[in-house]
């Protein structure tokens, strides 16, 4: 019994999630001690609400990084598809629910994702180059063809969806209230679907396989090209959904304010233990990493850190976080190389 | 032996202007261990790929299980019972043993969803077939090379396999692991599974195979019973050259040692090691993998500094704390794994040659002088006979032997006094091995002091004047190469 416990502990100590969880808890407790506001119901609801958009983006970025690729185009992709959707619905004076907006955005996201997938999956171009390029193209289309400027009025369906809430949390001390947006359901559904796909379908295991070794995946019989293509289509759809949620929650469509989010999102995914080289990582870790970034971005103000210092903290967190996992990897390698000759003696 | 498992008849294959295979015919019988040998570029891989359906031949046909195929698709090949184990074992280092074992059959069954229970069952059955024990939940990347190979073999056996093709399976295995592999091959043979064993290592061909086929520049040179083959014939078939064994006799050995180690030790690696090295001599250090031989080599080049004892270069004490100091003392080191440690594979051959002397090729204002760069490159390509049409090609286009020469050139360009070589001919084919030995002996005659670390005993015996045998971190014997033999050395090693 004792050995199973130590074994489990040893296994856990080699994974990233426990460390991230520990850091996350430490940070929460620190903020709580300094401010007494962290674990208040309205702050927790605020954090959950702030997680929706980055969380969705992170799920997409996670899939891409697991496959051994990288995607820096998702904010531009999301901006373009949601902007086009909003503008289209405004122009036709659409009065219905949010569903049509989501459907159109998903369709556009699929097309734009297919653009990435075509070049990366079928023409085997490097993902970084392709997505840097497509990011530019998406921005250009938005600014040129759609002549984008801030839309301060959004269709009524999107507006209603953005203001509707599951419940409202009220802080008994300060009297502040926070709404839990319905959008969180979209995030949870996608999270569950992708979790299931990555763990229980051959398609999802194929993404892990491709990230480990593309040649092996090909020889084993995975359709490497199709898998990559479909994956980028999915990522485009998830990113577009995130864009719709963002516009609904912000009650306005701004063409550029999602741009630049990619760095923090990717950092969160890597912080959560996903190997930037592909093949290794869990959705749980990815969510913890993203949550950590979201909390730093939203709650530092509670302990009196001015917002202008936010990026310094995020940056430090990323460096320390990725440094720790890099150290772990090199430490494991050293242990292994020290072990190998010793094994020879025993055998 | 009447019926054939596989018969290849008059196979021709060419790639844009290069005739890779010319008129190759051979047969494999059920339960036979057949060795396919040949130097790099002789067409071995092309032939394997034709048999497994990756390439289709330009002309000729194959007969498998009584059926004629003009060309065979990879699916046909698998369904006919052919499995290939590539050198990289086609594994997923990031996934568990279980998934690595189960993926192929799950995909072959066109499953869409993962049933972890069934996967575990498939994996358990697969490893049981060869009595291989391994933690199914371990990541494959954390296993040893031999264990990865066992996974590849178990996976190949999951289908109704009649022929397993192993592409150079003994590369990077230790002696004991090679022994294990051979036992498994013999067990597979008992079950009637034929093995096509691709190798260019002479001793392995004689130890394991019953039949052999040798290719040279795309042509079949010989095929038949291994018992009709001897080592001279084998080398001749492989290279088309006759070799005379030339045992090295040092000519001008300096009086004073150029390099001395006095009572050096490194924690957990070796203790109390002392020896002298003189100009013009070649010393061999041999021992098992865990004997501390590699750590000793690394300490002499300052990669892993020693804890106790002293090094003397030209009688003066030096602290070899990092490779820069060692290079400053005119010591060079050719690593064991030339591919991962010694070369920038994607860079050009030329750049690899001049990398270590780049400072001395600069002109007065510190800019690289292209004239002297080209002169240096030309000199070394010629001197070491590096086989390349153009030194600006990437290093990875070279064969193993030629890559080893580039590593040598890189160090020799520095005008060294002492050169340490760790496993100088690991993974190099016979012809190149012979050439490298000749180069090393010539270098010693020119007054270089060489130290070869190797567990290839014939190599050590042929090239070294003195042999130090290491065991568990100590030097247990200091032998005169002329008065010892493999048996004596082995008895000290074990």
């Amino acid at each position: 019994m004792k050995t199973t416990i130590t074994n489990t502990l040893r296994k856990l100590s080699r994974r990233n999630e426990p460390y991230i969880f520990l850091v996350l808890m430490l940070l929460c407790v620190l903020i709580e001690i300094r401010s007494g506001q962290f674990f208040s119901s309205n702050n927790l609801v605020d954090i959950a609400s702030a997680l929706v958009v980055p969380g969705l983006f992170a799920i997409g970025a996670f899939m891409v990084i697991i496959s051994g690729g990288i995607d820096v185009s998702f904010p531009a992709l999301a901006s373009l598809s949601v902007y086009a959707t909003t503008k289209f619905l405004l122009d036709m004076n659409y009065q219905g629910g949010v569903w049509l907006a989501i459907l159109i955005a998903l369709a556009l996201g699929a097309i734009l994702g297919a653009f990435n997938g075509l070049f990366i999956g079928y023409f085997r171009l490097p993902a970084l180059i392709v997505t840097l390029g497509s990011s530019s193209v998406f921005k250009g289309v938005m600014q040129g063809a759609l002549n984008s400027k801030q839309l301060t009025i959004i269709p009524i369906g999107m507006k209603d969806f953005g203001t509707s809430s599951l419940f409202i949390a009220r802080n008994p001390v300060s009297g502040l209230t926070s709404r839990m947006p319905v959008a969180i359901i979209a995030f949870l559904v996608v999270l569950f679907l992708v979790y299931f796909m990555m763990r229980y379908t051959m398609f999802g295991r194929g993404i892990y396989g491709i990230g480990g070794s593309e040649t092996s995946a090909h020889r084993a019989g995975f359709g490497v090209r199709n898998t990559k293509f479909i994956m980028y289509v999915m990522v485009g759809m998830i990113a577009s959904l995130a864009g719709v949620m963002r516009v609904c929650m912000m009650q306005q469509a701004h063409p550029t304010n999602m741009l630049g989010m990619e760095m923090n999102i990717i950092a969160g995914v890597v912080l959560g233990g996903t190997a930037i080289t592909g093949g290794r990582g869990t959705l749980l870790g990815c969510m913890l990493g993203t949550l950590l970034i979201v909390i730093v971005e939203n709650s530092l103000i509670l302990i009196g850190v001015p917002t202008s210092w936010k990026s310094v903290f995020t940056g430090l967190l990323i460096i320390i976080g990725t440094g720790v996992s890099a150290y772990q990897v090199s430490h494991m390698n050293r242990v292994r190389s020290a072990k190998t000759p010793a094994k020879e003696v025993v055998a | 032996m009447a019926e054939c498992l596989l018969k290849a008849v008059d196979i021709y294959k060419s790639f844009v202007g290069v005739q890779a295979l010319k008129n190759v015919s051979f047969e494999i019988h059920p339960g036979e261990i057949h060795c396919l040998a040949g130097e790099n570029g002789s067409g071995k891989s092309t032939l394997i790929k034709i048999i497994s359906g990756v390439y289709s031949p330009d002309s000729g046909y194959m007969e498998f299980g009584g059926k004629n195929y003009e060309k065979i698709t990879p699916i046909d090949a698998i369904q006919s019972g052919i499995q290939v184990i590539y050198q990289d074992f086609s594994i997923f280092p990031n996934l568990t043993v279980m998934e690595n074992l189960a993926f192929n059959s799950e995909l072959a069954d066109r499953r869409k969803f993962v049933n972890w229970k069934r996967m575990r069952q498939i994996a358990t059955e697969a490893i049981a077939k060869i009595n291989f024990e391994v933690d199914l939940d371990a990541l494959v990347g954390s296993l040893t090379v031999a264990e990865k190979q066992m996974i590849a073999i178990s996976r190949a056996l999951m289908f109704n396999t009649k022929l397993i093709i192993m592409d150079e399976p003994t590369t990077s295995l230790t002696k004991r692991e090679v022994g294990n592999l051979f036992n498994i091959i013999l067990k597979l043979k008992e079950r009637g599974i034929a093995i096509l064993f691709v190798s260019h290592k002479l001793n392995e061909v004689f130890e394991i195979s019953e039949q052999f086929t040798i290719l040279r520049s795309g042509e079949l040179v010989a095929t038949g019973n291994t018992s009709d083959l001897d080592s001279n014939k084998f080398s001749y078939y492989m290279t088309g050259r006759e070799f005379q064994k030339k045992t090295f006799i040092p000519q001008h050995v300096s009086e004073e040692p150029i390099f001395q180690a006095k009572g050096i030790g490194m924690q957990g690696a070796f203790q109390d090691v002392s020896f002298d090295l003189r100009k013009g001599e070649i010393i061999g250090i041999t021992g098992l993998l865990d004997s501390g031989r590699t750590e000793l080599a690394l300490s002499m080049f300052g990669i892993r500094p020693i804890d106790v004892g002293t090094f003397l270069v030209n009688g003066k004490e030096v602290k070899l704390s990092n490779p820069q100091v060692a290079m400053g003392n005119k010591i060079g080191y050719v690593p064991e794994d030339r591919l991962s440690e010694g070369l920038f594979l994607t860079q050009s051959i030329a750049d690899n040659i001049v990398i270590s002397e780049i400072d001395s090729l600069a002109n007065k204002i510190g800019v690289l002088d292209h004239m002297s760069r080209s002169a240096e490159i030309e000199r070394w390509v010629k001197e070491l006979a590096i086989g390349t049409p153009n030194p600006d090609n990437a290093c990875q286009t070279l064969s193993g032997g030629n890559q080893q020469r580039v590593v040598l050139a890189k160090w020799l360009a520095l005008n060294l006094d002492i050169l340490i070589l760790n496993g100088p001919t690991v993974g190099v084919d016979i012809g190149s091995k012979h050439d490298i030995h000749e180069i090393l002996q010539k270098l010693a005659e020119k007054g270089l002091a060489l130290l070869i670390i190797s567990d290839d005993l014939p190599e050590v015996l042929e090239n070294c004047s003195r042999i130090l045998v290491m065991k568990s971190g100590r030097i247990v014997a200091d032998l005169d190469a002329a008065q010892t033999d493999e048996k004596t050395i082995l008895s000290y090693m074990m």
Side-chain angles (χ1 to χ4, degrees):
Chain A
M1 190 61 203
K2 208 176 166 189
T3 49
T4 46
I5 293 173
T6 43
N7 267 344
T8 324
L9 279 179
R10 194 175 302 143
K11 262 183 197 163
L12 275 178
S13 76
R14 282 194 202 136
R15 297 183 57 167
N16 251 40
E17 292 89 343
Y19 294 104
I20 293 291
F21 187 71
L22 218 65
V23 174
L24 197 61
M25 282 297 115
L26 278 175
L27 185 70
C28 295
V29 169
L30 181 79
I31 298 172
E32 174 68 29
I33 291 170
R34 290 291 307 262
S35 68
Q37 297 295 308
F38 188 83
F39 289 114
S40 62
S41 54
N42 72 313
N43 189 52
L44 293 178
V45 168
D46 275 342
I47 288 172
S49 155
L51 181 67
V52 172
V53 174
L56 281 168
F57 278 144
I59 293 169
F62 169 77
M63 288 162 63
V64 172
I65 295 176
I66 287 293
S67 80
I70 187 96
D71 182 359
V72 294
S73 71
F74 57 84
L77 187 152
S79 301
L80 172 56
S81 60
V82 73
Y83 189 85
T85 307
T86 315
K87 195 161 184 183
F88 173 73
L89 291 178
L90 281 177
D91 286 354
M92 60 178 269
N93 201 13
Y94 175 72
Q95 299 293 326
V98 75
W99 294 108
L100 188 64
I102 292 178
L103 281 178
I104 295 175
L106 285 180
L108 284 174
I111 293 167
L112 300 178
F115 181 81
N116 280 337
L118 185 72
F119 285 102
I120 298 168
Y122 287 97
F123 300 146
R124 302 168 141 236
L125 296 176
L128 180 63
I129 311 286
V130 171
T131 54
L132 273 174
S134 62
S135 172
S136 235
V137 170
F138 297 158
K139 273 183 244 170
V141 170
M142 189 164 51
Q143 282 157 7
L146 299 179
N147 191 18
S148 63
K149 43 184 191 283
Q150 192 172 353
L151 302 173
T152 46
I153 301 166
I154 59 170
I156 183 83
M158 291 170 75
K159 194 176 155 86
D160 288 349
F161 178 76
T163 46
S164 60
S165 51
L166 290 175
F167 59 85
I168 293 172
R170 189 169 177 280
N171 187 333
V173 184
S174 63
L176 292 171
T177 55
S178 299
R179 295 179 303 106
M180 180 63 95
V182 181
I184 193 125
I185 293 176
F187 163 65
L188 292 175
V189 167
V190 172
L191 184 66
F192 172 77
L193 288 179
V194 172
Y195 171 79
F196 180 82
M197 183 187 82
M198 293 302 278
R199 178 131 186 96
Y200 293 104
T201 68
M202 285 308 273
F203 177 81
R205 300 319 288 171
I207 294 179
Y208 274 96
I210 291 169
S213 163
E214 228 176 290
T215 329
S216 302
H218 181 70
R219 288 190 194 138
F222 284 111
V224 174
R225 288 200 270 180
N226 286 333
T227 304
K228 278 192 180 178
F229 178 78
I230 294 170
M231 184 192 75
Y232 280 99
V233 169
M234 286 175 163
V235 170
M237 292 166 76
I238 295 173
S240 294
L241 183 66
V244 174
M245 295 304 130
R246 167 105 171 176
V247 165
C248 292
M249 287 161 77
M250 303 234 330
Q251 302 285 299
Q252 51 167 294
H254 194 287
T256 57
N257 79 4
M258 274 190 281
L259 303 182
M261 279 178 84
E262 64 271 15
M263 282 310 144
N264 275 358
I265 300 291
I266 292 171
V269 174
V270 173
L271 204 55
T274 306
I276 194 80
T277 45
R280 292 183 73 172
T282 61
L283 205 49
L284 174 67
C286 161
M287 282 301 117
L288 289 174
T290 309
L291 192 59
L292 193 56
I293 299 253
V294 167
I295 288 177
V296 169
E297 296 231 301
N298 287 277
S299 300
L300 276 183
I301 196 150
L302 289 180
I303 53 172
V305 178
T307 34
S308 47
W309 283 86
K310 211 169 59 180
S311 58
V312 175
F313 274 84
T314 332
L316 281 177
L317 191 68
I318 292 165
I319 294 172
I320 296 168
T322 42
V324 166
S325 53
Y327 173 80
Q328 262 182 297
V329 168
S330 71
H331 184 73
M332 253 172 77
N333 285 344
R334 209 172 311 145
V335 170
R336 195 186 307 153
S337 65
K339 258 186 189 166
T340 325
K343 222 172 185 176
E344 192 75 12
V345 187
V346 184
Chain B
M1 287 294 257
E3 86 279 32
C4 267
L5 181 63
L6 169 80
K7 200 164 158 184
V9 183
D10 301 337
I11 302 285
Y12 280 82
K13 176 78 189 172
S14 66
F15 298 102
V16 274
V18 181
Q19 193 72 41
L21 288 175
K22 260 181 277 183
N23 197 17
V24 173
S25 305
F26 80 113
E27 16 185 272
I28 298 176
H29 303 269
E32 165 181 296
I33 302 174
H34 195 115
C35 179
L36 177 63
E39 299 200 279
N40 286 311
S42 59
K44 284 177 303 188
S45 329
T46 313
L47 186 57
I48 296 175
K49 286 184 176 156
I50 285 177
I51 297 174
S52 59
V54 178
Y55 296 154
S56 47
D58 296 341
S59 68
Y61 67 95
M62 276 178 300
E63 215 179 284
F64 200 89
K67 261 202 239 166
N68 269 1
Y69 291 93
E70 254 181 46
K71 58 173 142 177
I72 185 168
T73 67
I75 310 264
D76 287 337
I78 291 170
Q79 280 170 353
S80 323
I82 304 178
Q83 283 284 327
V84 186
I85 297 177
Y86 291 95
Q87 258 179 299
D88 61 6
F89 308 135
S90 305
I91 44 157
F92 302 101
N94 58 324
L95 299 179
T96 60
V97 173
M98 176 169 57
E99 285 185 272
N100 269 278
L101 286 166
F103 270 169
N104 290 39
S105 73
E106 291 290 270
L107 286 165
D109 292 347
R110 302 195 170 276
R111 302 242 188 229
K112 291 279 176 262
F113 293 97
V114 179
N115 179 338
W116 291 94
K117 251 189 198 161
R118 188 180 57 225
M119 296 244 283
R120 184 171 295 276
Q121 198 182 341
I122 292 172
T124 313
E125 282 167 21
I127 56 174
K129 278 192 181 173
I130 56 169
N131 298 324
F132 172 47
E133 275 174 30
V134 65
D135 176 9
L136 289 179
D137 296 312
L139 290 184
V140 167
S142 68
L143 303 181
T144 64
V145 180
E147 287 169 325
K148 288 176 190 160
Q149 186 170 48
M150 290 305 138
I151 287 172
I153 295 176
S154 334
R155 196 173 52 193
L157 290 172
M158 287 164 62
F159 302 87
N160 182 22
T161 307
K162 291 175 191 144
L163 169 66
I164 298 183
I165 302 174
M166 297 186 184
D167 192 2
E168 310 215 355
T170 58
T171 317
S172 61
L173 291 191
T174 63
K175 273 196 177 134
R176 190 173 287 118
E177 289 165 343
V178 171
N180 280 342
L181 174 67
F182 284 1
N183 281 337
I184 287 178
I185 290 181
L186 291 174
K187 273 186 202 137
L188 295 179
K189 174 191 159 65
E190 279 168 28
R191 263 190 254 166
I193 296 171
I195 310 281
L196 182 63
F197 184 96
V198 180
S199 175
H200 55 233
K201 290 183 192 162
L202 181 126
N203 51 346
E204 287 170 4
V205 175
F206 286 109
E207 191 178 337
I208 192 79
S209 72
E210 302 155 326
Q211 296 283 314
F212 72 93
T213 296
I214 297 178
L215 298 178
R216 193 200 315 145
S217 347
E219 282 180 273
L220 184 101
V221 209
T223 180
N225 277 323
T226 311
S227 50
D228 302 335
L229 196 67
D230 64 38
S231 64
N232 284 339
K233 265 194 204 160
F234 180 80
S235 312
Y236 177 71
Y237 286 148
M238 290 270 285
T239 60
R241 291 192 279 170
E242 301 263 15
F243 294 117
Q244 279 158 351
K245 279 205 176 158
K246 197 178 135 198
T247 309
F248 176 64
I249 300 150
Q251 302 294 332
H252 316 285
V253 179
S254 66
E255 283 286 308
E256 288 303 310
I258 179 136
F259 185 88
Q260 287 168 284
K262 287 200 170 155
I264 57 167
M266 186 196 296
Q267 195 149 35
F270 58 84
Q271 319 97 44
D272 198 21
V273 169
S274 304
F275 60 89
D276 297 348
L277 179 63
R278 290 177 171 74
K279 278 190 163 193
E281 94 181 322
I282 308 180
I283 290 190
I285 294 183
T286 189
L288 296 177
L289 203 61
D290 60 333
S291 62
R293 54 168 217 240
T294 300
E295 287 83 356
L296 179 62
L298 294 177
S299 75
M300 291 169 65
F301 192 54
I303 297 174
R304 291 187 56 182
I306 48 169
D307 304 325
V308 289
T310 47
F311 284 122
L312 287 87
V313 175
N314 276 323
K316 263 184 253 149
E317 190 179 328
V318 287
K319 262 212 162 64
L320 299 174
S321 51
N322 62 50
Q324 279 74 29
V325 178
M327 281 161 74
N329 283 294
K330 298 195 165 193
I331 301 173
Y333 174 68
V334 180
E336 192 168 24
D337 190 345
R338 66 181 183 282
L339 299 177
S340 66
E341 293 179 30
L343 288 174
F344 301 99
L345 283 177
T346 52
Q347 301 288 324
S348 72
I349 297 163
D351 286 336
N352 271 288
I353 293 176
V354 296
I355 178 80
S356 58
E357 53 163 350
I358 199 87
D359 289 338
S360 64
L361 292 179
N363 59 20
K364 274 179 208 151
I365 53 165
V367 176
L368 188 62
D369 180 359
H370 280 274
M371 295 288 275
S372 42
R373 177 179 175 270
S374 325
E376 273 299 299
I377 292 159
E378 200 179 323
R379 175 177 158 216
W380 290 111
V381 168
K382 213 165 144 193
E383 193 146 320
L384 298 182
I386 297 169
T388 173
N390 181 357
D392 289 327
N393 288 351
C395 231
Q396 57 195 0
T397 60
L398 292 176
S399 66
N402 278 312
Q403 286 182 358
Q404 194 71 319
R405 279 175 224 193
V406 174
V407 183
L408 270 179
K410 174 176 122 181
W411 289 113
L412 296 176
L414 282 178
N415 295 318
L416 300 170
D417 287 339
I418 302 154
L419 186 59
I420 306 160
L421 300 112
N422 197 352
T425 57
V426 173
V428 167
D429 54 41
I430 299 182
S432 299
K433 189 171 176 176
H434 180 84
D435 294 345
I436 288 172
H437 287 165
E438 235 170 36
I439 293 170
L440 295 180
Q441 299 191 4
K442 237 187 259 167
L443 289 171
E445 276 161 28
K446 281 188 189 161
L448 203 69
L450 286 103
L451 197 133
I452 296 178
I453 292 143
S454 171
D455 55 3
D456 181 343
L457 296 183
E459 169 171 280
V460 181
L461 281 166
E462 236 174 84
N463 294 290
C464 303
S465 37
R466 262 170 60 214
I467 300 168
L468 307 177
V469 186
M470 284 188 83
K471 185 185 171 184
S472 314
R474 286 174 192 279
I475 291 184
V476 289
D478 184 343
L479 307 166
D480 184 344
Q483 283 161 25
T484 187
D485 54 29
E486 280 190 45
K487 255 195 191 152
T488 322
I489 300 177
L490 268 175
S491 69
Y492 282 114
M493 272 166 75
M494 296 300 180

